Amino acid sequence: MPDRPAREVHMKSALPGAVLKEDGFGDRFGFEQRLQAATKKIQATSSLDEIMGEVSQALCDVFEADRLTIYMTSEDKTSIVSKLKIGLASFKDIKLPINEQSIAGYVAMHKRVVNIRDVYDPAELKAHGAQLTFLKAVDLKTRYRTHQMLVAPILDGRNRELVGVIQIINSRSGKPFPALMEDGITQVAEALANVLQQRQMPTIMPLRSKYEALVSNAALSSDELELAQRSARRKNLDLETVLIEEFRVKVSDIGAALSVYFGVPYVPHKADRVRPGDLLRNMSREFCEANQWLPLGDEPEGLVIMTLDPEQTKAVRMVVNVYPKSKIVYTVTTTREFAATLEQMFGAGAMEDNLGDIGDLLGTLDDDEETGPEDIASAASDNELVKLVNKIIIDAYKQGASDIHIEPYPGKGKTEVRFRRDGSLVPYISIPGSYRSALAARIKIMCDLDISERRKPQDGKIKFKKFGPLDIELRVATIPTAGSVEDIVMRILPGGEPMPMEKLAMSPRNLARCRSTIEKPYGLFFVCGPTGSGKTTTLHSLLGYLNTADMKIWTAEDPVEITQKGLRQVQVNRKAGLDFAVVMKAFLRADPDVIMVGEMRDKETVSIGIEASLTGHLVFATLHTNSAPESIVRLLDMGMDPFNFADALLGILAQRLAKRLCTCKQAHVATEHEIDLLLDEYSQELLATPQWQNDPAGEREKLRALWKKEFGSSGAITLHTAKGCESCTETGYKGRVALHELLIGTDRIKTLVQERARVTQMLGTALEDGMRTLKQDGIEKVLQGITDIQQVRAVCIK
């Protein structure tokens, strides 16, 4: 290829002016090298089963694509059937007629390469064929959005007879597949033709053992499998244990081999699987263990049954006898995962030994008529119901839930229980509707509420140590809902020591500025954000930093969620007339150094806080506001004197919690287009500053260079996307990370406060003084690989 001064190659593409750049699909030479290596691997195989090993993933990498499907022609030559699907969560083969009703069918019909920029664009499809349509069924079922598609026919080189179709889906860069890849897919199709022509012969050799697919899937060699079998016989162990412990075979690979052998879907163990209470009502652990099958739940396709041997389970016909009215879907799993699922369904470890099995507990609750008012207290004390409530709380704590939602439905509707984990609600169990009143009464008894009052909301607190094996506390809120029922929400309060400031996920800049601000001897510091954004955790972290032997720290909280030695903490009790304002007045007479107020929601409390800060005390408080600049306007609107408030203000920290990427996240080198999109969002508020208004292009390039220096490696920035694994229950996210917006009360900000300036003016000045908005802080955490931009957008308004 002739030398070019620029590091890019212009070529024919599906879009006018498309360019193949090094930061996109790679240079032409690199692509051709990868392509040549992949075609050599294909030529070295003898069947489609060998392609299902490393070659299939290598092809995705060559074309920098998300998904790959290979179809073969049917025996009657009227359709094509998928034989290899990479990246598609489907258990069934896809069968498509050879016609224009699908893109793969169209390619098979006309025997030519098709390169489509967006399969949902009717005009583009019509440009290829008047009747061409995109089959949306797979997208709807898998909730996956197909964009780009590069499809080529696989033809017999001698007579150009159709052998199959290869389909490449969605380029990782988000750009159309360039023309160079059209030539590349043709070369791959030619190499595949030699392999797929053997379709007259069985593509899968008769399996001598249910684990032999491990060899065809390249999880281990045939010699290693034979060696494992000998080792298992010699040590009198089952082969699965030997494969996992001695040969380091992944459990998921064993499950995939079992799926091939039995011809049914493989279902792994999931730590957060919802317990099907109705299905387990008449089941026991001993029964499921002896018969080696277990119901998992009702799905749209039928009742899913987890088994170790689907063929034997079908033959015995015990499942259809137990569930005669259900359509049965048999699945297979490994011995290890079956045992773990049994433990999850019927036992829950040492600290729940006295509670019994969740299935047994639900089984003891008869779904009869609802208990009468006179019997509610008696039913609430029923031993099995007591155990069930304890079990719900213990499971929520073990699964890392922050809240337990108990949601009864009127009439004969069941009571649904859901847990909030990492900010999202997930189902847990369903309880017979006849027990909704007794369930509510039991929880009210635990937190000393009036069980006869069902028309007004009530608030309480459970010290669970009195009722169960965990030393935790729960904040309880009951709310009457339609149908004369009561919803209950229980928040599990964090316990133990406060989180160190270093673990708050603040950027180094924000951490240093925050520390220097709260080290001031007096003043007012706010932490703001919506409910559940971690304000209390952050405040206690700041107090933990200041909590030394020479400091007197008073706190007024509702409720006291985190306790610290050295802090004098007061629980607000409005019924007794002990509100925030009363408590703060008392604090001023108690020789404080630092005062923390759980919430400043009225003029009197804020006024006392300002007075305290101006008389030599450091005051911390929370606010329910969206951003740091908006907090100032909110407080001024309450009627605060702007001059006193400006003198008192030290800083305001706004906070949000975004989902954190799990360790299974996938990394890729960011394209210039991706970086441009992040720059657009990052600079939205910066455009309000004079510096950016004078030279937006220059400031943008300075920021790009700064990112590559701080977050890049060798001039390239790596971004991460969610993938999903067993640890994160296939969501791709585990835990949460805080996003911060720290506004410091500089002289310029205090002047604007005194002048009652508008929010936009305060924002511009704060940005000039070095503040980073919530979204900007979030984008920096995206560049660090902690979260992704979708999660940042989900919690940041701007």
Side-chain angles (χ1 to χ4, degrees):
M1 188 173 67
D3 293 333
R4 294 182 182 272
R7 294 170 65 85
E8 60 184 30
V9 182
H10 294 266
M11 60 189 68
K12 177 184 174 183
S13 176
L15 287 179
V19 176
L20 188 64
K21 298 182 179 179
E22 287 191 348
D23 58 6
F25 292 101
D27 59 281
R28 178 191 292 269
F29 179 74
F31 171 73
E32 290 178 349
Q33 275 191 321
R34 295 193 298 272
L35 179 66
Q36 186 177 8
T39 53
K40 283 183 178 178
K41 284 185 179 180
I42 294 172
Q43 291 164 355
T45 60
S46 58
S47 69
L48 182 61
D49 299 319
E50 292 184 31
I51 297 174
M52 291 173 69
E54 296 181 356
V55 178
S56 55
Q57 187 57 54
L59 286 175
C60 280
D61 293 337
V62 167
F63 290 91
E64 301 233 357
D66 281 349
R67 297 188 172 189
L68 162 72
T69 307
I70 295 178
Y71 296 85
M72 288 180 59
T73 53
S74 62
E75 293 290 333
D76 58 4
K77 312 292 185 185
T78 62
S79 59
I80 53 176
V81 182
S82 63
K83 292 299 179 184
L84 173 62
K85 301 186 287 291
I86 297 298
L88 181 60
S90 172
F91 294 123
K92 297 180 180 179
D93 285 340
I94 301 172
K95 185 175 182 180
L96 302 174
I98 299 179
N99 58 30
E100 295 188 346
Q101 299 307 304
S102 67
I103 295 174
Y106 174 89
V107 169
M109 179 180 180
H110 293 280
K111 299 181 181 178
R112 64 184 182 87
V113 176
V114 168
N115 187 358
I116 298 176
R117 174 185 57 85
D118 187 354
V119 296
Y120 282 82
D121 185 352
E124 187 175 3
L125 295 180
K126 191 173 182 180
H128 288 278
Q131 304 300 319
L132 179 59
T133 57
F134 170 61
L135 192 65
K136 302 177 182 178
V138 176
D139 273 16
L140 293 173
K141 184 175 180 181
T142 61
R143 297 181 181 180
Y144 176 86
R145 170 61 156 89
T146 302
H147 293 277
Q148 304 85 21
M149 194 177 283
L150 178 60
V151 194
I154 303 172
L155 305 174
D156 185 333
R158 292 164 296 183
N159 52 23
R160 293 188 59 79
E161 179 184 354
L162 182 71
V163 177
V165 171
I166 177 171
Q167 184 173 262
I168 308 292
I169 302 171
N170 280 4
S171 70
R172 294 172 186 170
S173 70
K175 298 179 180 179
F177 294 104
L180 180 66
M181 291 191 175
E182 295 178 21
D183 299 332
I185 199 172
T186 302
Q187 295 180 43
V188 171
E190 291 172 359
L192 286 171
N194 296 325
V195 178
L196 299 187
Q197 281 170 349
Q198 302 175 25
R199 66 191 184 283
Q200 303 295 338
M201 302 170 59
T203 59
I204 301 179
M205 299 296 291
L207 299 178
R208 298 189 301 274
S209 111
K210 60 185 179 181
Y211 299 111
E212 194 149 342
L214 290 169
V215 178
S216 57
N217 289 342
L220 77 172
S221 67
S222 56
D223 291 339
E224 287 174 323
L225 178 59
E226 187 176 344
L227 185 61
Q229 290 169 334
R230 289 202 301 267
S231 178
R233 287 193 296 268
R234 186 177 68 254
K235 297 179 180 179
N236 197 25
L237 295 172
D238 65 278
L239 183 54
E240 180 184 308
T241 300
V242 172
L243 289 170
I244 294 171
E245 295 182 358
E246 295 185 20
F247 289 82
R248 305 298 179 189
V249 178
K250 294 180 181 178
V251 175
S252 57
D253 288 339
I254 294 176
L258 294 174
S259 177
V260 172
Y261 180 81
F262 288 109
V264 300
Y266 157 58
V267 175
H269 167 70
K270 292 184 178 179
D272 69 335
R273 192 183 300 281
V274 178
R275 296 169 175 82
D278 293 345
L279 299 175
L280 293 173
R281 177 175 296 181
N282 299 314
M283 306 285 284
S284 69
R285 178 175 187 150
E286 292 73 20
F287 174 84
C288 294
E289 201 164 13
N291 292 281
Q292 299 186 339
W293 63 269
L294 181 69
L296 294 183
D298 269 318
E299 301 294 338
E301 59 268 23
L303 175 60
V304 179
I305 302 295
M306 173 187 277
T307 71
L308 290 176
D309 189 333
E311 293 177 356
Q312 181 180 355
T313 305
K314 281 183 190 177
V316 175
R317 296 186 59 80
M318 189 176 294
V319 178
V320 295
N321 291 331
V322 176
Y323 306 107
K325 296 181 181 180
S326 300
K327 178 185 175 183
I328 308 299
V329 177
Y330 292 96
T331 64
V332 69
T333 194
T334 64
T335 304
R336 181 167 296 197
E337 290 176 297
F338 185 78
T341 306
L342 270 178
E343 178 66 18
Q344 179 187 32
M345 297 294 184
F346 293 105
M351 70 177 177
E352 300 169 50
D353 286 344
N354 296 326
L355 296 180
D357 300 337
I358 188 69
D360 293 342
L361 290 173
L362 288 171
T364 59
L365 305 181
D366 297 323
D367 199 1
D368 299 327
E369 292 299 319
E370 186 170 1
T371 307
E374 66 280 358
D375 298 324
I376 287 178
S378 174
S381 302
D382 180 78
N383 188 47
E384 299 306 323
L385 185 66
V386 169
K387 287 182 178 180
L388 179 64
V389 173
N390 288 356
K391 184 83 165 73
I392 291 171
I393 293 172
I394 289 171
D395 275 1
Y397 177 79
K398 287 182 63 179
Q399 293 185 23
S402 61
D403 299 86
I404 304 168
H405 292 249
I406 297 175
E407 304 164 332
Y409 289 86
K412 293 186 178 180
K414 294 185 177 182
T415 296
E416 302 296 333
V417 181
R418 297 193 289 171
F419 294 162
R420 186 176 294 280
R421 294 204 315 267
D422 294 338
S424 300
L425 280 171
V426 293
Y428 173 62
I429 56 170
S430 299
I431 299 173
S434 58
Y435 275 80
R436 58 179 171 241
S437 297
L439 181 66
R442 172 58 191 167
I443 295 172
K444 288 179 181 180
I445 288 170
M446 295 173 75
C447 50
D448 295 326
L449 298 179
D450 184 359
I451 65 171
S452 64
E453 180 56 75
R454 303 175 63 183
R455 296 172 299 174
K456 295 180 181 178
Q458 296 187 71
D459 295 323
K461 195 172 186 180
I462 297 175
K463 292 188 176 182
F464 191 62
K465 193 175 183 179
K466 293 164 55 179
F467 309 99
L470 296 176
D471 187 8
I472 59 174
E473 294 184 350
L474 299 97
R475 187 174 67 199
V476 179
T478 71
I479 304 174
T481 48
S484 300
V485 296
E486 284 183 288
D487 274 39
I488 298 175
V489 179
M490 295 185 282
R491 167 156 292 189
I492 300 175
L493 301 178
E497 295 296 317
M499 186 182 295
M501 284 187 68
E502 296 78 10
K503 294 186 178 180
L504 289 178
M506 284 190 184
S507 66
R509 176 185 177 84
N510 279 342
L511 182 60
R513 299 179 83 205
C514 187
R515 277 180 173 164
S516 64
T517 302
I518 65 174
E519 286 171 353
K520 302 281 176 64
Y522 58 87
L524 195 56
F525 189 92
F526 290 98
V527 178
C528 65
T531 301
S533 60
K535 298 187 298 296
T536 302
T537 301
T538 298
L539 270 180
H540 272 275
S541 179
L542 303 183
L543 291 178
Y545 177 72
L546 297 173
N547 188 9
T548 57
D550 60 341
M551 297 289 283
K552 179 74 171 186
I553 303 176
W554 287 99
T555 75
E557 301 170 74
D558 184 23
V560 176
E561 297 184 7
I562 302 173
T563 57
Q564 288 190 55
K565 184 179 180 180
L567 268 59
R568 309 313 300 155
Q569 297 175 262
V570 176
Q571 170 73 55
V572 169
N573 186 347
R574 291 184 177 84
K575 291 181 181 178
L578 193 67
D579 58 18
F580 284 115
V582 172
V583 175
M584 283 193 68
K585 287 178 181 177
F587 286 169
L588 293 178
R589 297 188 295 270
D591 188 27
D593 292 305
V594 179
I595 296 173
M596 190 270 271
V597 188
E599 185 178 353
M600 286 191 173
R601 64 177 72 178
D602 56 69
K603 180 179 179 180
E604 185 179 9
T605 309
V606 179
S607 298
I608 298 170
I610 292 175
E611 179 187 341
S613 65
L614 292 174
T615 53
H617 307 103
L618 189 58
V619 180
F620 293 90
T622 66
L623 284 172
H624 285 103
T625 50
N626 289 323
S627 69
E630 288 177 30
S631 302
I632 296 175
V633 176
R634 171 76 62 84
L635 290 166
L636 292 175
D637 288 344
M638 284 185 183
M640 297 302 103
D641 178 72
F643 291 92
N644 286 341
F645 179 50
D647 288 342
L649 182 64
L650 289 179
I652 301 174
L653 179 68
Q655 181 169 309
R656 297 291 187 279
L657 294 178
K659 290 185 179 180
R660 184 187 290 268
L661 286 168
C662 179
T663 53
C664 65
K665 60 189 176 184
Q666 285 186 321
H668 70 277
V669 176
T671 64
E672 289 301 319
H673 177 65
E674 289 177 309
I675 296 175
D676 284 338
L677 292 177
L678 291 177
L679 282 168
D680 289 341
E681 295 200 48
Y682 192 94
S683 60
Q684 282 177 356
E685 288 94 352
L686 290 173
L687 292 171
T689 62
Q691 192 174 358
W692 275 73
Q693 289 175 351
N694 293 335
D695 184 15
E699 293 298 323
R700 185 185 178 94
E701 290 309 309
K702 287 180 185 178
L703 183 58
R704 186 195 302 270
L706 179 64
W707 281 3
K708 289 186 176 181
K709 180 181 177 182
E710 288 191 2
F711 308 112
S713 177
S714 302
I717 292 176
T718 301
L719 295 180
H720 295 79
T721 54
K723 180 183 179 183
C725 65
E726 183 180 341
S727 175
C728 61
T729 62
E730 304 300 331
T731 62
Y733 304 95
K734 190 173 184 181
R736 290 190 286 179
V737 61
L739 313 182
H740 300 102
E741 177 178 294
L742 180 59
L743 182 149
I744 301 299
T746 61
D747 291 340
R748 299 174 68 197
I749 289 293
K750 290 184 177 185
T751 301
L752 292 176
V753 173
Q754 293 169 352
E755 295 172 353
R756 291 182 174 271
R758 299 176 63 181
V759 172
T760 53
Q761 192 175 354
M762 290 188 186
L763 175 62
T765 302
L767 289 169
E768 287 185 68
D769 289 344
M771 186 187 83
R772 294 290 176 265
T773 65
L774 287 164
K775 177 167 274 193
Q776 288 171 347
D777 190 59
I779 290 174
E780 289 183 2
K781 289 180 169 68
V782 170
L783 296 171
Q784 294 174 54
I786 298 173
T787 185
D788 58 32
I789 190 62
Q790 290 79 13
Q791 297 306 317
V792 173
R793 291 181 186 132
V795 297
C796 296
I797 295 176
K798 293 181 179 179

